[in-house]
Amino acid sequence: MALRQARATCPYCGVGCVLDVKSQDNALVQITADPAVAPNFGMMCPKGALLFKSDAPKRRLATPMMRENKDAPLREVSWKEVLRYTADRLTAVRGARGPDAVAFYGSGQLDTEASYLFTKLFKGYLRTNQMDTNSRLCMSSAVAGYVQAFGSDGPPTCYNDIESADTFVILGANMTANHPVLFNRVRRRRATRDSARIVVIDPRRSKTAEYADLHLPVKPGGDVALLLLAMRRLLEQGATDTAFIDAHTEGFDALKDLISSCDPVALHEASGMTASQIEAFAGVLVGDRRLLSFYCMGANQSTAGVDKNTALINLHLMLGEVGKIGAGPFSLTGQPNAMGGREVGYLCHQLPGYRKVTDASHRAEVERLWDIAPGSIRPTPGRSAVPMFQAAADGEIDALWIACTNPAVSMPNVSVTQAGLERAGLVIVQDCFKDTETARYADVLLPAATWGEKSGTMTNSERLVTRSRAVKDAPGKAVPDWQIVAAVGRAMGFDGFDFTSPKQVWDEFRKTTAGTPCDLSGMTNKRLERGGLHWPCSAESHPGTPRRYTDGRFPTPTGKARFHAAKPRGTDETTDADYPLAVMTGRVAAQWHTRARTGNVPELNRQAPEPFIEIHPDDAKAFGIDDGGWAYAVGRRGRALARARVTDKVTAGTVFLPFHWGDSFHPETAANFVTTDAVDPVSLQPELKFAAVRLEPASAPEATSAVALEEVAR
Ligand SMILES: Nc1nc2c(c(=O)[nH]1)N[C@H]1C(S)=C(S)[C@@H](COP(=O)(O)OP(=O)(O)OC[C@H]3O[C@@H](n4cnc5c(=O)[nH]c(N)nc54)[C@H](O)[C@@H]3O)O[C@H]1N2
Ligand SMILES: Nc1nc2c(c(=O)[nH]1)N[C@H]1C(S)=C(S)[C@@H](COP(=O)(O)OP(=O)(O)OC[C@H]3O[C@@H](n4cnc5c(=O)[nH]c(N)nc54)[C@H](O)[C@@H]3O)O[C@H]1N2
Ligand code: SF4
Ligand SMILES: [Mo]
């Protein structure tokens, strides 16, 4: 077969690199990047460059599968049969148990077209808001933080701000591992501008922290206290931008009152920071310096996640470092299209165009756009991710449709999730691989075409919308996600799903955003074929908007940005004599989440072959753990097995445990057996960065699936 070539957006991280992909004889053979094309300008990281090895033909789900009863094995069926069965079962569950007994759990890795159709099907036609996605575990604190401060979600900044920034504050983000191409640009700026400085706020001396001019090893959860101390010092120094504060913000007095009422000794204690560390931090913030802050899961995945976000935004507002070239609080999105999912409104409280289900006029607008009866959209948010799986475990959700995510590994306190998957009467799993940990529970398996096999649209961390294209055919009967949703909608007898191309879906979606903060109605497919565009982009002649709020006006009722005076709070779970260590979970450079794709790539597996836990030498000694031996992290809900790495990169009292290896690697290696499902009270995002544990020496596991998976792949 002929050589094929196409441009596609990387399916991994929110940097959103645009890649040139080649296939031969319907197999991916090469990935390159064009130096002239934004946002990566020729750069890639090893995960992107090795994508052509991630395909694993033998692991692919190539045909629909189903079983009518839980004791029977899955059997291969036709699309016709699986669609009829799925539609009839969903209709039956709705009829018998009501619309809220049906739920959807999706992903920031779905393209915008599929995410939009899921939202339309569930909120518009199935008349339930019981839909949420893995973005709840990832971005919901950032969404809430932006909305509280600026009146709208979405970052004000763009990647090109890096080349004009002086001070980089990187809080709770390990960019060298998780946003590598973007961090290359930060490093280049640091190398070429003498006065540029990098500050990393992370309890761990991560690889990113090793590049920092100043590393602040904050106590886990202590970020708000740290930022209050920094703001206090800036106030003392008179370093605030009074003109900006007066003209463009509100709520500053309340913040000043809070700062003066806090006991500095308590703030130092909560943050673990010394006076000289705060002094050094304030030193790189004052003066005529552009401040660009990047933050990710160390900020969001916390029971104080929204407060951490707003505290960092407060710092920017206080210094007037918003809406200027080279400045702004820049929330890094994790997944390639978590931003696009927010635009279509796929969380349980959202509607397309940053609208909310709780707003009557928003519901009426969307009902008009969808041409459905007034009152169709329900006015109360559905259950967010954690309560959704709890409800399944309690028998309140009978049909659960899961697409493009692997919650049997990635949910916090995963035993509850697994119990929910076990109990739900109908579990539909839509994935490109047949052997994921979640697929074990499926009654219906819907085969999805994956990256490189479909065209669709994604929005990266900087609001840049790009189109990804197909370079090979999907195996067997697999089809793109948007087609699967549309087909189920039609099989259920709904009339809003007559789409025959992704372009038709995109055209319908972009119109729903007209006049909203994330207006991308001017982005035709034809324009996107020529290159990415930043929203807002309200007309076909509009060039796109790399930077927002440059006029100092914000989409709040008064037009002003809002300070938030949030007191530092402790974490919900605390350590004690039985569980004296705080475990932080996270990622490594060579693996992507539950390894569905990176686990197939030998080069990546060799770099990160097995689960490990970073332990400070003092703690290793206290618990009798040897470097290179195996250990259990034993928590209040369960335990996780990993190989010990004794290192002073973590501070005494904390351990770091990546979550990539689920319980199919070895029955005891899922990090999420120990995590808590406590959530932030505003964003409902779970705390994945703090659980109390102790350590116990363990013997080496007899067999793991690491090598086996690679062999199956080839
Ligand atoms: N290689 C790779 N890249 C990825 C991913 C992947 O799986 N693999 N996943 C993508 C996704 S979806 C996401 S969301 C991003 C996540 O990207 P990151 O947020 O960078 O990743 P994490 O490792 O989860 O956490 C970042 C850091 O938070 C620190 N941390 C823990 N607790 C605290 C705290 O209380 N305060 C502070 N300040 N820091 C704390 C941890 O030590 C860790 O170094 O990465 C994306 N990119
Ligand atoms: N302990 C701990 N847990 C965490 C985190 C943490 O820091 N610590 N981070 C959380 C965060 S931020 C995130 S984003 C989640 C991520 O967690 P998940 O979303 O569960 O992780 P993935 O492995 O990316 O799962 C993606 C799934 O989609 C499938 N897939 C790939 N391409 C396609 C496609 O085109 N269509 C379909 N239908 N399927 C496809 C893959 O085979 C895989 O099964 O994990 C969360 N869990
Ligand atoms: S930096 Fe992110 S988007 Fe770019 S190639 Fe690597 S994983 Fe893909
Ligand atoms: Mo994420």
Side-chain angles (χ1 to χ4, degrees):
M1 215 191 278
L3 191 76
R4 282 170 73 184
Q5 177 158 4
R7 199 151 265 185
T9 308
C10 180
Y12 293 124
C13 85
V15 175
C17 293
V18 172
L19 307 174
D20 289 323
V21 190
K22 279 202 188 93
S23 74
Q24 174 126 43
D25 301 334
N26 211 38
L28 300 174
V29 290
Q30 192 192 42
I31 316 275
T32 53
D34 184 337
V37 172
N40 45 315
F41 301 105
M43 291 185 278
M44 306 180 271
C45 77
K47 285 190 300 302
L50 290 163
L51 265 166
F52 66 99
K53 295 192 175 183
S54 71
D55 199 25
K58 290 187 190 150
R59 293 187 52 222
R60 289 298 298 273
L61 175 64
T63 186
M65 297 181 81
M66 57 179 256
R67 59 178 179 185
E68 280 91 347
N69 77 68
K70 297 263 178 199
D71 303 322
L74 292 164
R75 59 192 166 85
E76 295 191 350
V77 292
S78 65
W79 268 114
K80 194 171 165 204
E81 188 175 353
V82 86
L83 288 171
R84 190 70 271 137
Y85 181 73
T86 305
D88 289 349
R89 282 292 305 271
L90 290 175
T91 307
V93 171
R94 285 183 83 226
R97 307 269 314 264
D100 289 348
V102 177
F104 172 73
Y105 185 64
S107 170
Q109 295 167 69
L110 288 165
D111 57 27
T112 299
E113 287 79 358
S115 306
Y116 172 71
L117 289 188
F118 273 119
T119 306
K120 185 177 183 184
L121 178 64
F122 274 76
K123 291 178 181 162
Y125 286 79
L126 295 176
R127 302 198 52 197
T128 176
N129 296 329
Q130 303 298 330
M131 79 179 283
D132 217 52
T133 70
N134 59 9
S135 285
R136 182 69 63 186
L137 319 181
C138 185
M139 301 314 300
S140 55
S141 295
V143 173
Y146 276 141
V147 171
Q148 285 196 0
F150 300 142
S152 160
D153 184 20
T157 38
C158 63
Y159 295 166
N160 284 347
D161 283 318
I162 293 171
E163 282 78 31
S164 307
D166 300 298
T167 300
F168 297 92
V169 170
I170 300 174
L171 184 146
N174 184 11
M175 290 179 75
T176 52
N178 303 323
H179 295 89
V181 161
L182 207 55
F183 192 65
N184 278 351
R185 286 177 69 170
V186 175
R187 277 175 62 196
R188 202 159 58 198
R189 174 70 177 167
R190 174 67 187 83
T192 52
R193 176 143 171 123
D194 286 347
S195 59
R197 292 290 179 270
I198 299 174
V199 181
V200 170
I201 304 174
D202 192 313
R204 214 163 50 100
R205 199 172 73 244
S206 63
K207 198 55 167 278
T208 311
E210 285 174 358
Y211 286 108
D213 298 283
L214 177 65
H215 172 216
L216 301 174
V218 65
K219 272 194 191 166
D223 302 83
V224 173
L226 182 155
L227 289 162
L228 284 171
L229 284 170
M231 290 189 275
R232 182 167 162 273
R233 188 70 195 108
L234 293 171
L235 279 169
E236 283 167 6
Q237 294 176 330
T240 57
D241 184 341
T242 320
F244 181 88
I245 294 169
D246 290 348
H248 303 300
T249 71
E250 56 198 17
F252 188 51
D253 289 340
L255 179 67
K256 274 198 299 198
D257 291 347
L258 171 75
I259 291 171
S260 55
S261 73
C262 283
D263 171 12
V265 177
L267 294 180
H268 282 292
E269 167 60 26
S271 62
M273 290 293 107
T274 61
S276 64
Q277 284 172 314
I278 296 299
E279 193 62 38
F281 185 26
V284 294
L285 296 171
V286 294
D288 183 20
R289 301 177 62 79
R290 292 292 81 88
L291 171 65
L292 190 62
S293 298
F294 292 108
Y295 48 106
C296 204
M297 293 307 115
N300 296 348
Q301 286 175 338
S302 162
T303 43
V306 180
D307 292 349
K308 290 188 187 185
N309 273 263
T310 54
L312 189 57
I313 298 174
N314 286 342
L315 178 70
H316 278 264
L317 292 174
M318 181 184 260
L319 296 168
E321 293 294 307
V322 179
K324 285 181 194 166
I325 292 176
F330 200 155
S331 150
L332 293 166
T333 21
Q335 298 174 92
N337 197 36
M339 192 71 83
R342 282 139 80 173
E343 290 148 21
V344 309
Y346 68 3
L347 294 174
C348 66
H349 62 291
Q350 298 174 323
L351 288 171
Y354 284 178
R355 295 179 181 92
K356 294 194 214 71
V357 298
T358 45
D359 184 316
S361 64
H362 287 179
R363 290 195 305 277
E365 278 165 26
V366 176
E367 285 159 355
R368 262 197 310 280
L369 287 161
W370 284 345
D371 198 17
I372 55 177
S376 295
I377 300 173
R378 307 262 296 278
T380 40
R383 296 181 185 92
S384 59
V386 170
M388 179 187 286
F389 284 98
Q390 183 68 57
D394 295 342
E396 288 164 37
I397 287 175
D398 206 26
L400 188 51
W401 186 348
I402 295 164
C404 205
T405 175
N406 192 4
V409 176
S410 58
M411 280 290 290
N413 191 8
V414 75
S415 312
V416 173
T417 306
Q418 295 184 350
L421 290 164
E422 194 84 52
R423 177 139 188 210
L426 175 70
V427 176
I428 305 166
V429 175
Q430 178 170 329
D431 205 288
C432 53
F433 294 113
K434 58 187 169 201
D435 54 0
T436 70
E437 289 81 355
T438 304
R440 294 193 298 231
Y441 300 90
D443 302 297
V444 171
L445 275 178
L446 302 174
T450 188
W451 179 82
E453 301 168 350
K454 57 182 175 183
S455 33
T457 311
M458 305 215 268
T459 309
N460 75 359
S461 280
E462 56 162 351
R463 292 172 285 103
L464 185 80
V465 179
T466 58
R467 258 181 78 69
S468 195
R469 298 162 196 81
V471 64
K472 68 180 279 283
D473 301 328
K477 296 177 186 162
V479 297
D481 290 292
W482 69 266
Q483 261 181 34
I484 300 177
V485 200
V488 173
R490 287 195 300 271
M492 294 190 79
F494 300 134
D495 55 10
F497 297 91
D498 283 331
F499 300 97
T500 54
S501 71
K503 177 181 179 298
Q504 290 173 349
V505 183
W506 176 254
D507 283 342
E508 180 178 304
F509 165 60
R510 72 187 165 92
K511 283 178 194 137
T512 67
T513 67
T516 69
C518 59
D519 192 333
L520 38 79
S521 58
M523 296 186 191
T524 59
N525 267 2
K526 211 166 160 192
R527 290 185 75 190
L528 293 172
E529 288 301 326
R530 291 197 293 270
L533 288 164
H534 296 85
W535 61 252
C537 174
S538 54
E540 290 187 28
S541 56
H542 192 293
T545 314
R547 293 185 184 86
R548 297 162 87 198
Y549 313 139
T550 47
D551 59 357
R553 285 193 59 77
F554 298 87
T556 56
T558 57
K560 293 184 172 190
R562 298 179 286 227
F563 282 100
H564 270 269
K567 283 199 194 86
R569 286 187 283 125
T571 45
D572 280 31
E573 175 148 305
T574 47
T575 52
D576 62 16
D578 290 334
Y579 304 100
L581 306 176
V583 63
M584 308 180 285
T585 61
R587 298 161 164 75
V588 300
Q591 298 290 2
W592 175 262
H593 298 161
T594 71
R595 296 164 62 251
R597 210 188 278 280
T598 47
N600 304 329
V601 183
E603 290 84 343
L604 298 176
N605 273 340
R606 243 172 271 137
Q607 269 187 53
E610 60 193 9
F612 64 87
I613 181 164
E614 291 178 348
I615 306 167
H616 189 272
D618 295 350
D619 295 326
K621 201 166 158 210
F623 288 97
I625 310 288
D626 296 326
D627 185 32
W630 287 76
Y632 284 114
V634 183
R636 296 188 175 110
R637 289 153 298 275
R639 64 182 193 180
L641 179 64
R643 196 190 282 274
R645 279 191 195 167
V646 177
T647 167
D648 66 358
K649 287 185 174 148
V650 285
T651 38
T654 69
V655 290
F656 179 74
L657 178 66
F659 79 103
H660 302 294
W661 292 269
D663 63 359
S664 66
F665 182 84
H666 176 278
E668 294 195 291
T669 48
N672 278 318
F673 286 143
V674 301
T675 50
T676 148
D677 48 20
V679 299
D680 179 282
V682 176
S683 68
L684 310 178
Q685 177 158 351
E687 171 72 77
L688 288 160
K689 295 287 182 261
F690 193 107
V693 294
R694 66 169 172 269
L695 299 173
E696 284 172 12
S699 44
E702 273 172 22
T704 64
S705 67
V707 182
L709 192 64
E710 243 181 53
E711 276 166 4
V712 175
R714 270 165 292 128

